Amino acid sequence: MSTSAHAAFRRLFHEIGTVDAVGVEERVAKFATRSIKKKSKLFGLKLAVTMVDLTTLEGKDTPGKVASLCQKAIAPHEGIDVPSTAAVCVYPAMVKHAKKHVAGTSVRVASVATAFPSGQAPLKTRLAEVRSAVADGADEIDMVINRGAFLSGEFSLVQDEIRQVVEACGSSTLKVILETSELETYDNIRAASFLAMQVLRPNDFIKTSTGKTSANATLGNNQVMLEAIRDFYFETGIPIAMKPAGGIRTAKQALQFLIAVKETLGDEWLNNQRYRFGASTLLNDLLRQIEKERSGNYQAPYYFSEAAESY
Amino acid sequence: MAAKTHKRQNSRATARPSVAQPRKSSRELIFGDLWEFDPAPETADPKLKPRYDLFINGEFTAPKSGKYFPTINPATEQKIADIALASPADVDTAYQAAQRAFDSVWGKMPGRERGKYIYRIARLLQDHAREFAIAETMNGGKPIKESRDFDVPMAAAHFFYHAGWADKLEYVAPGRSVKPLGVVGQVIPWNFPLLMMAWKIAPALAMGNCVVIKPAETTSITALKFGEILQEAGLPPGVVNIVSGAGETGAAVMNHPLAAKVAFTGSTEVGKIIMRSLAGTDKKMTMELGGKAANIVFDDAPLDQAVEGIVNGIFFNQGHVCCAGSRLLVQEGVAEAVLAKLKNRIKVLRVGDPLDKNTDVGAINSKEQLGKIRELVDSGVKEGAELYQSPCRLPAKGFFFKPSVFSNVTMSHRIAREEIFGPVLSVLTFRTVDEAIEKANNTPYGLSAGVWTDKGSRILKMSVELKAGVVWANTYNKFDPTSPFGGYKESGFGREGGRQGLLDYGKLI
Amino acid sequence: MNPRLPITKTPKCYVGGAFIRSESGRVTPLHDASGAFFANIPQCTRKDLRNAVEAAAKSGSGWAKRSAYNRGQIIYRLAEMIEARSAEMIEALQVGGQPSARAKTEVAATVDRLIHYAGWTDKYEQLLGNVNPVSSPHFNFTVTEPTGIVGVLAPEDAPLLALVSLIAPAITSGNTVVALASTSQPYPSIALGEMLATSDLPGGVVNLLTGFRAELLPTFATHAHIRAISGVANADERKAIKLAAADSVKRVHLLKTEETHDWFADSAQGLYEIRDLVEFKTTWHPIGA
C-alpha cells in the first residue's frame, strides 16, 4: 500500500472509529437467542415479507421468468393474508418487462447496475447502465462500489463514483452494495458504509452483498452497518436504509436480522422504506412459517409456488 | 444534493469526537412497541421436590434438629420448597463422613478412576442441564438465558476440565509432587449457586480431597439437587457432603477441626470474619471476595463493542457479580458518545420474568439485597450524582430494580467506592492514561478490570499496571475453567480455575 | 607512644538505602559471646517500621519493572559482595557466638542461596505462568506479579542464612521487603545492610530493622500496605498476626518456630517460595481481525 493510501486509512478510521470483530459476533449471537412466539412471530414474518426484494439475477433469466417472479411478489401466496413484497430485483435488461407486470401495485422494480456484480467496467459504462435502467422505469438501482479502489485506499475515488451514480439515479432510490466479503474486515465495512452514506440521500440504502461471492449477509456485517447508520444519523440527522442480501434463506434468520434492527435502530427502521432483504428463497420459507402459525401444522415446501426445493 | 453533501464531508473531516454524539434531541431513536414480543416462558419441568434434606454420606438426610426454612422465588416471592437447616452437629456428621471417605476410598483411589467419576458428573449435569437451568432461575432470579447458556454449561465444563487433571497431578507443580489436603470446607454465595459449587468441588475432587460444602441460604436448591447427580454418578458416599443453612451453618463448616482447608466466596466483610476465626489454626485458605472493578474506555476504543462490554459488565446477572464492571472510567473525549450509546442500549434491555427466554435482566436475589441496592442508589442521588434509569416497566410482584447509570460521579462518592452488587453503574471520566490507572487502582479491591482501546501496546501497559487478578481487554466478564480467577489486595487470595487454582487444593511434598 | 585506639562501628539499620538509627533514639546493648559489650543496636519502633514501609513503597514499582535479567544480575551482585566480604560476615556471625566453622558454612550457604535465586528471576515466570486454552475466541494468559511489600520475620537460628532465605524469594519476583532481624543475633543483619548498600540493589527494596519482636509484630500485622507476611513465628505470634492480618486481607506464610527448619538444605529454597509471594494475573483479549 502506498504511503498516502495508508494515511487515508488512518484518517478515516480515526474519524469513524474501529470495530472489534469478536465483540460484534458476541452481540449478534444474542439476537439469535431471542424467542419470538405467536402473534409477535406472525407480525415479524409478515413484516419480513414486505421487506423482501424478490430477486432473480441469472444469466438464464427470461421475460417469462421475470413475469412469474412479479406475480409472486404481488401476491406471494393464495388463500392467506400475506402482503406484497417490497420489490422485485432484476438485471437492467429485464426492467421494462418487470415494470409492465407490477404496474398499479405497490411492488417496486429494482435493478442491479454498474457492471454488477464485479463493477469492473469503465465508469462511463456503469453510469450509462444506471441511466438506461432508470429510463426503463427502475424505481431503485442497486450499484456496487469500486472495491479495488477502496482496498488501495483511494477513498475519494470510491466516494466520487457513488456520488455520480446518485446523480444518474435522478429520483430513483439508490442501494450501494459494499460487497462485504471482499472488504473482509468489519473495520473496512464500517469505513465503506461511511464513505457511501456521506454522499447518499435520506432513505437511500447501503447493502451488504451481491450474492455472487462466497460470503454474503451475516448478522455480523448487518450489525456493523446498522451501527454505522445509527452513528451517521446521530451525527447528521440523515436516515440511511439498510439491505442485507444473499444467504438469508430461512424465516428464522430473517427474524434474527429484524431483531437486530429493532434493538439497534428502533421502530422507525422496521419498515420497507428503511430495511429490505435481498433474497430469492427466503420468501417461501416466510410463507411456510406464516401458514404454519395460522394452521398449526408444519408445511411441505411444494405447497408454495416457485419453491426452490422440489424433493 | 451532491454539492451539499460534498461540503458536509469536508467540514467533518477534522475531528473524531463528533461521531455519534447526538446534537439534537430530534435524533433520538424510538425503541417502542411497534413489534412487541409475546411472552416466551421456559416451561419444562425442573423436577423440584417440596422439601430438600441435607446430602451427607451419599444420602439425603433429615437435619438432626428437624428444622427447615422456606426458600422463595425472588421474581414472584412465592415459596418453592423447604430447605433443611444444618446445625453444627449435622456439619460434624458431614465432616466425619468426608474424613472416612477420604481415609478409606477417595484419598487412595488412583487418579485415573477419580477422574472418571468427575467426568460422569460433568456428563450427568449436561443430561439434566435444562432442569438445573430452570431451578437456578426460579430460585435465584437470574434470566433463564443466562442459567441455560452460561451457568449450567460452564459448571459442566468445570467438571470436565478438572476430571482430566485427576491422573496428571504430577504436572501441576513442576519439580515437586502434590497430594490432597484431606477434607476441605467450602462456603459459596448466592449469585452463581451451581457454578460456584462447580468451581469449588471440581478442583477439590480432582486433587483427591473430600468436600463439605454449604450453599447460600437463599439459593440452596440447585446445590441439593446436585446431590441427586452425585448419587446418579455413584460417587462414593461422603466424598461430597452438602449442608444447607445460614451463617451459623457456614461458621460450623469453616471452623470444623477436620477441615484441612477452607475456601470461601462471598463478601470481603464476611471473608475477614472467617480469616479472624481461623487465625489460631493452620488451615489453608482461599478467599474470593468483593470487587469494585474499573472498566476503562479509551477514546480510540471500538465504542459499540465497549458499550456491549459495559452492559455485559454491569447488567450480567443483575450486577450480582463480584467482578462486575461497576465503575466505568471513560476518557473525556468520548464520554458523551459512550453515555449516549449506553442509554440506547439500556433501552432495549428486557427486564422482567426471569423464566422468559427473552429476559435480559431478571430479579434481584433477595429483598435484603434489593434494600441494599436502593440504599446505595439513594446515597448516590443525595451525594449529587446524576441518575439515569431504564424506562422499562417492572413487574408488580417480586424483587426488581431498573438498570441504572450514574454519571457525574467522583471518586469520593459511596457509589464509586462500595460494592453495590446490583445493576448500578457509576460513570467517571479521565483524561490521561496515568489518571485512568490511578483511579482504577484507588480502591482496596483488586479482583478485575476492563480496558478498551485499539492500541495493542497500551493494552499490555494497562494489563501490567492494573492491580487486579483478571484483566479483560476489549471484552468483559469472560470465564473459562482453564483460566485462573481471583483477586489482589482485599478481593482475596488464591485462584480458582486453571493450573494455579488446582494447586491451591494440594499439598506440596 | 600510646597504642592506637580502634574505631568502633556504630551499628545502623539499612532503610531506604540509607543507614539509620531508630527515630526513638533507643538502643539495645549487644554483648559478644564472651559477654563483653560489643555495640549498641538500634531498637526500632513502629514509626521506624512505618518509615521503612514508605521507603519500600517508593522503590517498589521501579524494582518490579526492572527486567528479570537485571534483577538476576543485581541479586548475583549481592552474592558477590558477600563473598568478597565473607571474612567480615563470618566475624559478624561470630559475635553471636557461632563457632567459626559454622559461621563460615553459613556465609557460604547464604552466598549460594542468593546465586540460586539470581538464577530464578528469569525462569519462575515460565513455570508459574501459562497460556490458557479457553474455549472462546480469546487469547488468555496468566502471568505473575509481585504481591507488593512483604514483611519478613526472621527466626532466631541461622541469623544470616534464614534472613536471606526469606528475603531472596521475595525480591526475586520484584517484591520489596521490610525485614525484622533475629532479636538475639541482630548483628549479621547490620553487616548485610552494608553489603546490600554496595550491591546495586536500589535503596528501599530491602529494609532491615532490628528491635524487639514483640513490640513490632503487631504493626507488621496491621500495617495495611504490607501485603504479605513471610517468616517464622510461634503459635501465639501466628494467631496474633493472622488475626490482625485479616483486616487488610494480608497473605500470611509462616513457618512454625516449634518445628525445626534446615535452612542449609536445598529444600529451603526454590520455585514455591517464590510462588507464595506473587499474585496471578490473567488477561483476556479477543482474537479477531
Side-chain angles (χ1 to χ4, degrees):
Chain A
M1 195 186 291
S2 70
T3 319
S4 64
H6 176 71
F9 268 101
R10 290 288 297 264
R11 272 197 306 275
L12 184 58
F13 290 137
H14 178 69
E15 193 183 320
I16 63 172
T18 56
V19 179
D20 183 77
V22 173
V24 169
E25 275 148 30
E26 280 175 15
R27 174 71 185 106
V28 300
K30 292 179 186 169
F31 299 135
T33 68
R34 291 282 186 227
S35 176
I36 310 300
K37 304 276 186 206
K38 299 175 190 158
K39 273 199 290 195
S40 57
K41 184 169 186 182
L42 201 56
F43 180 94
L45 293 170
K46 287 189 179 177
L47 181 63
V49 170
T50 69
M51 291 172 165
V52 169
D53 280 4
L54 196 59
T55 303
T56 184
L57 295 169
E58 303 286 341
K60 61 186 179 185
D61 286 346
T62 59
K65 161 83 182 173
V66 169
S68 69
L69 190 79
C70 289
Q71 193 48 47
K72 180 83 176 172
I74 295 163
H77 191 58
E78 278 173 44
I80 53 172
D81 172 27
V82 184
S84 304
T85 70
V88 290
C89 183
V90 296
Y91 271 120
M94 295 294 147
V95 169
K96 54 180 182 289
H97 303 293
K99 200 64 191 168
K100 268 193 311 222
H101 294 289
V102 301
T105 73
S106 64
V107 176
R108 292 157 67 91
V109 174
S111 174
V112 298
T114 68
F116 181 95
S118 72
Q120 296 284 18
L123 177 63
K124 218 160 88 180
T125 315
R126 285 180 272 152
L127 290 173
E129 192 185 9
V130 172
R131 288 193 194 99
S132 152
V134 170
D136 280 352
D139 303 297
E140 303 177 352
I141 295 295
D142 290 29
M143 70 167 284
V144 291
I145 66 162
N146 189 335
R147 284 89 76 190
F150 180 90
L151 293 172
S152 50
E154 296 175 76
F155 296 151
S156 56
L157 176 62
V158 175
Q159 198 169 49
D160 195 55
E161 288 184 0
I162 298 169
R163 186 182 296 116
Q164 294 193 48
V165 177
V166 169
E167 281 169 24
C169 279
S171 60
S172 297
T173 298
L174 177 62
K175 307 196 192 94
V176 181
I177 302 170
L178 308 182
E179 196 64 306
T180 51
S181 67
E182 292 185 349
L183 300 183
E184 285 190 20
T185 66
Y186 290 132
D187 283 336
N188 282 348
I189 293 168
R190 181 171 167 86
S193 298
F194 270 86
L195 286 180
M197 290 189 295
Q198 284 163 0
V199 292
L200 290 181
R201 303 157 300 185
N203 298 328
D204 278 340
F205 285 73
I206 52 176
K207 175 178 169 183
T208 59
S209 331
T210 60
K212 299 291 183 190
T213 59
S214 57
N216 299 300
T218 62
L219 281 170
N221 54 39
N222 181 63
Q223 186 64 16
V224 169
M225 291 168 75
L226 291 179
E227 285 169 354
I229 289 169
R230 181 203 53 200
D231 292 349
F232 186 71
Y233 176 67
F234 279 151
E235 190 198 347
T236 64
I238 297 172
I240 300 295
M242 170 69 194
K243 178 179 173 184
I248 306 167
R249 296 192 178 85
T250 67
K252 191 175 173 179
Q253 280 177 292
L255 290 177
Q256 289 168 359
F257 277 77
L258 287 181
I259 290 161
V261 177
K262 173 178 164 64
E263 297 194 4
T264 309
L265 287 166
D267 292 3
E268 288 180 315
W269 266 260
L270 285 174
N271 58 62
N272 68 9
Q273 202 186 359
R274 297 266 176 89
Y275 200 75
R276 296 280 179 83
F277 290 108
S280 48
T281 56
L282 170 64
L283 180 59
N284 265 340
D285 197 53
L286 289 169
L287 299 173
R288 217 172 145 185
Q289 302 311 323
I290 289 170
E291 182 60 14
K292 187 254 154 189
E293 285 300 305
R294 191 191 63 80
S295 68
N297 299 326
Y298 295 110
Q299 304 292 305
Y302 45 72
Y303 284 5
F304 303 89
S305 62
E306 314 267 325
E309 310 88 358
S310 52
Y311 175 74
Chain B
M1 188 69 212
K4 237 173 132 182
T5 50
H6 188 63
K7 198 173 156 204
R8 185 177 68 234
Q9 187 216 348
N10 284 343
S11 68
R12 62 187 295 285
T14 47
R16 155 127 205 256
S18 67
V19 172
Q21 292 192 18
R23 292 197 196 116
K24 279 196 228 155
S25 57
S26 63
R27 288 177 198 163
E28 288 293 306
L29 297 171
I30 298 166
F31 297 101
D33 53 7
L34 176 66
W35 182 24
E36 201 33 272
F37 296 162
D38 285 321
E42 174 59 63
T43 52
D45 179 6
K47 298 187 184 156
L48 299 182
K49 297 191 288 196
R51 163 186 279 200
Y52 282 92
D53 281 319
L54 308 173
F55 186 73
I56 295 176
N57 203 31
E59 299 293 337
F60 284 98
T61 314
K64 291 191 167 93
S65 65
K67 284 186 190 161
Y68 291 82
F69 59 95
T71 192
I72 64 163
N73 180 338
T76 62
E77 303 177 48
Q78 302 283 306
K79 183 172 131 180
I80 305 174
D82 282 312
I83 305 291
L85 179 68
S87 64
D90 295 310
V91 172
D92 183 57
T93 311
Y95 267 101
Q96 302 296 344
Q99 189 67 52
R100 266 197 317 277
F102 178 75
D103 293 338
S104 61
V105 190
W106 197 249
K108 295 177 182 167
M109 192 182 286
R112 183 186 65 235
E113 300 304 311
R114 237 179 21 244
K116 285 195 265 185
Y117 279 108
I118 307 171
Y119 276 125
R120 266 195 196 177
I121 294 169
R123 277 296 196 236
L124 289 167
L125 203 49
Q126 288 170 337
D127 287 349
H128 296 282
R130 192 56 57 91
E131 283 169 42
F132 272 90
I134 296 166
E136 196 76 314
T137 284
M138 286 176 68
N139 200 194
K142 65 176 63 203
I144 185 72
K145 184 167 82 176
E146 289 178 12
S147 52
R148 179 195 66 204
D149 298 345
F150 177 72
D151 294 67
V152 178
M154 192 57 82
H158 268 265
F159 283 106
F160 204 89
Y161 170 75
H162 285 97
W165 267 120
D167 63 349
K168 300 169 192 70
L169 297 178
E170 65 267 35
Y171 299 99
V172 177
R176 296 284 281 274
S177 298
V178 287
K179 62 176 198 181
L181 299 163
V183 181
V184 298
Q186 304 172 324
V187 170
I188 54 172
W190 44 260
N191 56 346
F192 297 94
L194 182 71
L195 182 58
M196 287 301 105
M197 190 162 186
W199 279 31
K200 291 277 181 293
I201 294 178
L205 295 189
M207 188 57 85
N209 301 288
C210 292
V211 166
V212 176
I213 187 167
K214 187 196 89 72
E217 185 187 0
T218 58
T219 55
S220 306
I221 288 184
T222 47
L224 291 166
K225 205 173 151 55
F226 184 74
E228 297 167 11
I229 296 274
L230 299 179
Q231 284 181 329
E232 208 176 328
L235 191 72
V239 173
V240 173
N241 304 274
I242 306 161
V243 289
S244 42
E248 195 198 8
T249 315
V253 170
M254 294 283 101
N255 290 299
H256 198 280
L258 285 179
K261 173 195 169 107
V262 299
F264 171 76
T265 297
S267 70
T268 293
E269 188 190 348
V270 176
K272 289 178 179 179
I273 293 170
I274 293 170
M275 287 179 72
R276 283 184 206 110
S277 76
L278 297 178
T281 74
D282 295 318
K283 292 184 199 312
K284 284 188 71 160
M285 284 187 268
T286 294
M287 293 278 149
E288 299 289 3
L289 309 177
K292 191 75 191 175
N295 199 0
I296 305 166
V297 179
F298 285 97
D299 60 7
D300 65 340
L303 291 189
D304 281 303
Q305 290 73 54
V307 166
E308 201 55 30
I310 294 163
V311 166
N312 192 36
I314 190 63
F315 301 124
F316 176 57
N317 199 29
Q318 298 72 246
H320 301 328
V321 186
C322 47
C323 51
S326 53
R327 286 186 297 151
L328 173 63
L329 300 182
V330 55
Q331 201 160 16
E332 277 183 6
V334 289
E336 210 184 313
V338 167
L339 215 57
K341 281 172 184 275
L342 184 59
K343 286 177 183 174
N344 272 322
R345 182 68 183 87
I346 289 171
K347 283 178 193 159
V348 297
L349 286 176
R350 306 177 66 88
V351 185
D353 179 9
L355 279 172
D356 191 304
K357 292 174 203 162
N358 290 321
T359 292
D360 298 314
V361 180
I364 301 302
N365 185 266
S366 67
K367 194 171 184 174
E368 188 195 352
Q369 187 59 27
L370 182 60
K372 198 183 142 195
I373 295 167
R374 284 186 176 145
E375 194 265 319
L376 273 159
V377 168
D378 288 347
S379 87
V381 173
K382 269 192 213 115
E383 288 183 331
E386 196 179 307
L387 177 64
Y388 171 84
Q389 290 188 305
S390 156
C392 65
R393 282 185 298 271
L394 299 183
K397 270 242 153 206
F399 313 133
F400 289 91
F401 197 82
K402 289 184 174 185
S404 303
V405 175
F406 274 112
S407 46
N408 293 333
V409 179
T410 68
M411 286 298 289
S412 60
H413 286 154
R414 277 182 71 200
I415 50 171
R417 305 202 69 80
E418 295 181 29
E419 187 176 35
I420 299 175
F421 226 62
V424 183
L425 178 69
S426 298
V427 184
L428 299 93
T429 58
F430 68 92
R431 289 154 299 177
T432 65
V433 173
D434 284 349
E435 189 184 348
I437 292 167
E438 202 219 300
K439 283 185 167 165
N441 288 339
N442 184 3
T443 165
Y445 294 116
L447 188 52
S448 59
V451 184
W452 299 84
T453 172
D454 216 30
K455 191 169 179 184
S457 57
R458 184 186 289 155
I459 289 167
L460 294 176
K461 158 91 173 166
M462 295 302 289
S463 171
V464 167
E465 296 289 345
L466 291 169
K467 296 297 161 211
V470 183
V471 175
W472 285 294
N474 291 325
T475 186
Y476 206 91
N477 266 348
K478 289 283 177 297
F479 306 91
D480 195 276
T482 67
S483 176
F485 182 91
Y488 281 35
K489 300 196 284 191
E490 295 185 24
S491 288
F493 48 80
R495 292 292 176 268
E496 293 187 309
R499 189 166 61 92
Q500 290 76 10
L502 184 62
L503 187 50
D504 287 344
Y505 276 98
K507 191 176 355 185
L508 289 169
I509 46 173
Chain C
M1 196 165 124
N2 289 331
R4 180 179 178 272
L5 185 68
I7 301 298
T8 54
K9 185 164 75 184
T10 306
K12 288 188 178 184
C13 289
Y14 183 63
V15 172
F19 292 94
I20 61 146
R21 286 190 262 194
S22 170
E23 59 80 32
S24 66
R26 296 181 308 175
V27 290
T28 312
L30 181 68
H31 301 273
D32 66 18
S34 68
F37 173 78
F38 177 74
N40 288 310
I41 297 290
Q43 188 185 326
C44 292
T45 64
R46 51 199 299 253
K47 277 193 186 167
D48 293 315
L49 173 53
R50 180 202 62 192
N51 293 343
V53 171
E54 297 298 316
K58 223 168 135 184
S59 68
S61 64
W63 176 239
K65 281 200 179 78
R66 295 287 184 107
S67 70
Y69 180 40
N70 183 247
R71 284 201 308 275
Q73 285 185 300
I74 287 173
I75 295 172
Y76 188 87
R77 176 76 178 161
L78 175 58
E80 285 180 341
M81 290 300 100
I82 298 174
E83 177 90 15
R85 298 165 69 172
S86 55
E88 185 187 342
M89 193 55 106
I90 290 164
E91 277 177 28
L93 279 164
Q94 285 177 290
V95 170
Q98 290 205 26
S100 86
R102 151 100 191 190
K104 213 172 155 180
T105 315
E106 183 167 345
V107 173
T110 300
V111 171
D112 289 356
R113 184 123 307 156
L114 286 166
I115 300 295
H116 176 78
Y117 283 107
W120 266 126
T121 57
D122 52 7
K123 295 167 193 71
Y124 70 89
E125 185 73 89
Q126 292 171 311
L127 293 157
L128 297 179
N130 40 244
V131 170
N132 306 302
V134 296
S135 58
S136 54
H138 294 90
F139 188 72
N140 174 301
F141 57 96
T142 299
V143 296
T144 68
E145 282 186 359
T147 297
I149 302 168
V150 177
V152 163
L153 304 174
E156 294 304 305
D157 58 328
L160 175 68
L161 177 59
L163 179 65
V164 168
S165 297
L166 292 164
I167 292 171
I171 62 173
T172 293
S173 68
N175 290 297
T176 54
V177 167
V178 178
L180 179 61
S182 155
T183 308
S184 59
Q185 300 185 65
Y187 193 67
S189 80
I190 301 287
L192 178 64
E194 290 160 11
M195 295 174 197
L196 281 166
T198 58
S199 72
D200 300 340
L201 192 77
V205 172
V206 172
N207 304 278
L208 301 170
L209 302 179
T210 54
F212 292 149
R213 198 168 156 105
E215 185 184 346
L216 290 171
L217 277 200
T219 311
F220 268 98
T222 55
H223 197 310
H225 210 173
I226 296 180
R227 293 310 311 152
I229 297 283
S230 169
V232 185
N234 67 35
D236 290 342
E237 290 172 340
R238 290 200 302 276
K239 181 171 181 179
I241 289 167
K242 287 182 186 175
L243 206 52
D247 289 337
S248 55
V249 196
K250 216 186 287 307
R251 289 80 172 122
V252 179
H253 301 281
L254 289 172
L255 297 169
K256 300 175 183 178
T257 310
E258 59 270 28
E259 291 173 0
T260 53
H261 306 285
D262 183 0
W263 294 103
F264 291 83
D266 283 350
S267 60
Q269 65 188 19
L271 180 63
Y272 298 92
E273 277 68 18
I274 298 169
R275 189 187 192 267
D276 279 344
L277 299 172
V278 297
E279 301 288 331
F280 290 103
K281 173 181 279 177
T282 299
T283 302
W284 295 68
H285 196 277
I287 302 169

